[in-house]
Amino acid sequence: MANFRKLLFLRHCKSYHQLINCLLLLIIAFFCYQISINCQHGLLPTKPQVVITSVAKTRPAQLLSKDHILGTQLKSNLSVVTESTPSSFDTLSLPRLMSCQKPALKSIIVAEKTIPLMTVAKCIKFCWSETALYAALFNGSSCYCTNVHGSENLDKDSNCNVACRGDLALRCGGSDQWMFYKIAEADGERGWTTWMSYGRTEKDMNVYRTRYRGCPGDKRGRRSCLVHLHKSGSAVKTNVSPLIIDHFIGCFTNQAWDLPDNRLILAKYSVNTTQDCITSCQTIGSLYSILNVKNCICSNSLGWSRPIDTCVYGFGALVFSTSVLKSDGVTLKFEERLTQRQVAVVAHYRGGSTFASLMFSNYPNSLYVFEPASVFGAVWVGVNNSLARETERSRIFLERIYPLWFKCHAQDLPGIWLTKYPGWGNHNSGFSVFNSCKKAVGSLTGAYKCSAFIEEKCLISPVVAAKTTRMVHSQNVKRFAQIETDIHVLHAFRDPRAQLSSRAQLELVYRKNQLSHLTTSCWELNELSTVFNDDLKDAPNTHVVHYEDLARDVISSAKQIYREMNFTLPGEVIRTLQESTGKGKVKKAEKKYAYGTIKNDPTSLIDSWKKKLNHSMVNIADNSTECRKLFAKYPDKFKPLRDMSS
């Protein structure tokens, strides 16, 4: 650009009469410069490419997707770096693309603005000024600021395809979709935590509040830090006792204080007033006095607590310093994450994933979520090919949703997940406090506030697990396992003919073209077997379990998987597995569950498909190229029907 300026103003603009020439050359120079930038940054549609950019020096942006360009090029005075490979969620910086989804509820909007010449950078800058956590772009010119990651089902990225009015090379949402960017954190390190109100009733909300920032480290590491404590309210204006003003740190989640043999509890008292609690803990010399319902807990650490603003609803513990807070600074001490294993169970629909998940969902004090892929809804308009739909869904899910779950970033999960999903069915474990809190607070904002309880539960649970079907596109699973090496990926594998038979019993669609679905299943299982048995065979975080092995001897299969994970199989899990498979006292609920692959006698399901599927159709399918490949890989597991004994 410097050469253009020299050319224009030194050679051609020496006199007034050459003004028109100068202006024409300036326009040409501008377009040449734009074209060169677009080519360099991958913004031209002929060469799509992912970029990492920045609006400000302290806030670089990064995009997770490698398949679409959705306006991630944020104009700035800094250089643009090309992303070559996906990186771990922990290394991602801000702003970053979170999702393309249906328009959110108006109730979550903090601020909104329509800008005729809208760009991604302008929307982000506006939402920064409004101290929001998310910026959402819509229909090319509208910008919405929220503190919640939307409220509706996630859509495919390519539906956010409306060009920004201020830069046609960029995308600013869709005609019926919002494009959400995470632009700030409320983690207590880079950004302020949520406001924490003092009090035990809703009338106390906003009377006296605190928040903090300046605590380095992530949710996994131990840290002791001097934070900046921001206070809102005073004893004079609010009639709050000076004792509160001098000692109150904030409201924090409190599930960890109910852990058995919690070594962080120095003493526990039954008290009637805040003064009694502070005085009792001062007597034994602890750093903190924690008013947990009617119990007073004295401790030198806040453990795994997360800041939350629900104490006024009766959920959470009020934390005080035993010494007077003479300034805005206060030392906070937290503990290392207790999680010993993180397990992602993946399988095709009706592949036995629920059965396999019993090995982890019933681990004592575990946190387990059943089918979190519901964030997408049932149908994607404009995607008729089911394989293409599930491939795209699995990419978004494994790159953006699963990492949030396993890294304990529950507050970043899509709003629809927080409001509708965790209470579904009786399969989830570890959500009881969150669900009670959500019910008491109400609304989508309430679900977001209460999500801190999920984060704390994630930090203290020895096992954090999840299982999902359909989100198993082979290359997406492979990339996830390679990036998130601290997460064990367990593939539940089942005979494709039994899988199809089970599907056909529940969904009539599978009865219409069994051969087509069976051949597709064989192809998908072949692809996954290549990933797990060849590409990642030496990876310590990938595992395979066959439904047939589980059905024949569930305890031996569970012990084998636990050995591979270098983990001890507890007696509680063994008893649950026995009870669920007829080896002990059978749970009646499991007998009645229509969708379960777990029965009183699961061995009866191994070959039941031979009686339920059309015999001639199965014979034809057995001769398909894809199914023959699969049978050849597992000759001891699967055989063509003609080779089986009657």
Side-chain angles (χ1 to χ4, degrees):
M1 195 64 183
N3 291 333
F4 280 119
R5 285 197 299 267
K6 182 177 180 181
L7 176 67
L8 290 171
F9 297 105
L10 294 183
R11 182 175 302 176
H12 295 285
C13 298
K14 293 181 179 179
S15 69
Y16 174 79
H17 300 288
Q18 294 175 323
L19 177 60
I20 295 178
N21 289 336
C22 289
L23 291 175
L24 289 174
L25 287 172
L26 180 61
I27 293 172
I28 293 172
F30 174 78
F31 278 106
C32 289
Y33 175 68
Q34 286 297 317
I35 291 173
S36 67
I37 291 297
N38 287 343
C39 291
Q40 176 187 356
H41 295 167
L43 293 176
L44 294 184
T46 54
K47 291 186 177 181
Q49 171 179 358
V50 175
V51 293
I52 307 171
T53 57
S54 179
V55 173
K57 290 185 178 180
T58 57
R59 300 191 180 194
Q62 187 167 13
L63 177 64
L64 294 177
S65 167
K66 292 182 69 65
D67 299 326
H68 299 283
I69 301 301
L70 297 176
T72 58
Q73 171 62 38
L74 309 180
K75 297 299 179 64
S76 71
N77 60 343
L78 298 183
S79 60
V80 180
V81 182
T82 300
E83 180 187 21
S84 57
T85 57
S87 55
S88 172
F89 184 85
D90 286 339
T91 67
L92 298 180
S93 50
L94 300 176
R96 67 174 178 269
L97 176 69
M98 299 297 286
S99 68
C100 176
Q101 59 178 277
K102 296 294 183 180
L105 296 173
K106 293 292 185 181
S107 59
I108 71 170
I109 298 174
V110 174
E112 59 184 289
K113 190 174 186 179
T114 298
I115 303 175
L117 297 178
M118 176 66 74
T119 65
V120 178
K122 287 179 180 178
C123 181
I124 289 177
K125 183 178 180 181
F126 169 65
C127 292
W128 266 337
S129 69
E130 297 293 333
T131 65
L133 299 179
Y134 299 91
L137 294 116
F138 170 66
N139 205 26
S141 61
S142 297
C143 176
Y144 298 96
C145 310
T146 74
N147 288 323
V148 182
H149 181 191
S151 61
E152 303 301 322
N153 289 325
L154 272 60
D155 211 330
K156 61 181 183 292
D157 285 350
S158 56
N159 273 349
C160 284
N161 56 6
V162 176
C164 300
R165 301 289 175 81
D167 192 334
L168 298 181
L170 308 182
R171 299 292 175 263
C172 287
S175 59
D176 190 36
Q177 291 81 17
W178 287 14
M179 188 165 67
F180 276 86
Y181 280 91
K182 180 72 182 292
I183 64 171
E185 296 283 8
D187 58 359
E189 178 186 356
R190 291 163 289 184
W192 291 103
T193 65
T194 182
W195 282 107
M196 299 173 284
S197 302
Y198 170 78
R200 283 293 186 186
T201 68
E202 290 186 60
K203 293 181 180 179
D204 300 324
M205 183 76 75
N206 299 329
V207 171
Y208 184 73
R209 305 181 301 168
T210 60
R211 61 180 181 173
Y212 71 82
R213 72 175 178 186
C215 201
D218 60 18
K219 293 182 175 66
R220 294 177 299 174
R222 180 190 304 270
R223 61 192 187 274
S224 180
C225 44
L226 181 66
V227 302
H228 180 64
L229 190 67
H230 185 189
K231 303 176 182 179
S232 175
S234 66
V236 176
K237 294 182 178 179
T238 64
N239 295 321
V240 175
S241 165
L243 176 72
I244 306 303
I245 304 296
D246 292 341
H247 293 267
F248 181 62
I249 295 175
C251 172
F252 290 79
T253 57
N254 58 347
Q255 296 168 103
W257 302 118
D258 295 326
L259 290 176
D261 303 321
N262 189 328
R263 58 180 174 78
L264 301 179
I265 298 177
L266 302 180
K268 183 184 289 189
Y269 305 99
S270 178
V271 298
N272 295 317
T273 66
T274 301
Q275 174 67 60
D276 291 341
C277 184
I278 294 175
T279 301
S280 298
C281 294
Q282 285 174 334
T283 302
I284 68 169
S286 68
L287 293 177
Y288 309 111
S289 56
I290 301 163
L291 198 58
N292 186 31
V293 191
K294 289 187 177 181
N295 288 321
C296 174
I297 295 172
C298 304
S299 179
N300 287 328
S301 173
L302 296 182
W304 306 269
S305 298
R306 306 296 302 153
I308 197 169
D309 195 24
T310 57
C311 283
V312 294
Y313 299 97
F315 291 88
L318 297 169
V319 176
F320 301 87
S321 170
T322 54
S323 58
V324 175
L325 303 174
K326 297 181 180 180
S327 66
D328 287 340
V330 59
T331 298
L332 301 182
K333 183 180 179 182
F334 298 95
E335 301 298 318
E336 291 180 355
R337 184 178 179 182
L338 296 180
T339 304
Q340 300 174 52
R341 294 295 182 277
Q342 301 172 79
V343 183
V345 179
V346 298
H348 285 287
Y349 179 46
R350 310 304 298 157
S353 56
T354 302
F355 198 176
S357 297
L358 282 179
M359 291 186 282
F360 307 101
S361 62
N362 289 280
Y363 197 98
N365 300 313
S366 65
L367 178 63
Y368 169 74
V369 67
F370 178 90
E371 294 291 1
S374 61
V375 293
F376 295 109
V379 177
W380 270 4
V381 177
V383 183
N384 298 321
N385 184 293
S386 60
L387 182 59
R389 180 181 67 246
E390 302 308 342
T391 297
E392 173 69 356
R393 287 186 177 198
S394 72
R395 181 190 63 78
I396 296 174
F397 182 76
L398 293 172
E399 289 183 359
R400 302 183 196 165
I401 307 301
Y402 249 12
L404 293 172
W405 168 253
F406 284 108
K407 306 299 182 182
C408 304
H409 292 273
Q411 292 180 323
D412 283 339
L413 287 166
I416 191 170
W417 194 94
L418 294 172
T419 53
K420 296 182 179 180
Y421 182 73
W424 186 88
N426 299 314
H427 300 284
N428 300 321
S429 59
F431 289 93
S432 58
V433 177
F434 166 75
N435 285 326
S436 298
C437 175
K438 183 175 65 172
K439 184 177 180 180
V441 178
S443 76
L444 176 59
T445 303
Y448 166 75
K449 284 186 176 183
C450 297
S451 62
F453 282 110
I454 301 179
E455 293 192 350
E456 182 195 26
K457 182 64 177 177
C458 183
L459 295 173
I460 64 178
S461 296
V463 169
V464 174
K467 86 97 173 178
T468 185
T469 59
R470 300 182 176 92
M471 304 296 123
V472 288
H473 179 261
S474 59
Q475 293 307 306
N476 292 330
V477 172
K478 176 182 176 181
R479 185 163 59 245
F480 175 79
Q482 289 174 326
I483 295 171
E484 307 296 348
T485 55
D486 55 342
I487 300 174
H488 291 271
V489 183
L490 174 63
H491 178 214
F493 208 99
R494 190 182 188 187
D495 188 316
R497 295 161 298 189
Q499 189 171 279
L500 179 65
S501 174
S502 184
R503 292 175 180 179
Q505 287 182 272
L506 301 174
E507 299 184 26
L508 293 176
V509 65
Y510 288 102
R511 299 177 186 174
K512 296 179 181 178
N513 193 347
Q514 295 176 349
L515 177 58
S516 173
H517 284 288
L518 186 55
T519 303
T520 300
S521 292
C522 287
W523 176 81
E524 292 172 337
L525 291 172
N526 265 315
E527 292 290 301
L528 278 170
S529 67
T530 298
V531 168
F532 280 87
N533 297 328
D534 297 331
D535 300 346
L536 301 177
K537 66 178 181 179
D538 296 324
N541 67 321
T542 58
H543 316 272
V544 175
V545 63
H546 289 268
Y547 172 82
E548 291 76 15
D549 291 338
L550 282 171
R552 291 188 178 95
D553 192 341
V554 65
I555 303 303
S556 295
S557 296
K559 288 181 178 179
Q560 175 61 33
I561 294 298
Y562 269 72
R563 278 195 297 270
E564 291 179 12
M565 295 183 181
N566 194 25
F567 204 32
T568 301
L569 181 66
E572 294 91 333
V573 174
I574 292 176
R575 285 192 293 273
T576 299
L577 293 174
Q578 290 173 332
E579 291 171 359
S580 299
T581 56
K583 300 295 191 292
K585 184 179 179 181
V586 181
K587 294 182 178 179
K588 293 182 179 180
E590 295 293 352
K591 287 183 178 180
K592 297 178 180 179
Y593 181 49
Y595 287 83
T597 52
I598 312 160
K599 304 290 181 182
N600 189 359
D601 180 17
T603 56
S604 64
L605 297 180
I606 296 176
D607 294 327
S608 62
W609 58 269
K610 289 189 287 186
K611 299 178 181 179
K612 296 176 181 178
L613 287 183
N614 182 290
H615 193 277
S616 60
M617 290 287 288
V618 173
N619 272 329
I620 296 173
D622 282 353
N623 291 319
S624 73
T625 301
E626 292 299 332
C627 290
R628 286 204 309 270
K629 285 182 182 178
L630 188 65
F631 297 152
K633 287 183 179 180
Y634 301 98
D636 58 328
K637 303 290 184 185
F638 315 131
K639 295 179 180 179
L641 188 60
R642 62 177 178 272
D643 294 340
M644 292 184 177
S645 58
S646 57

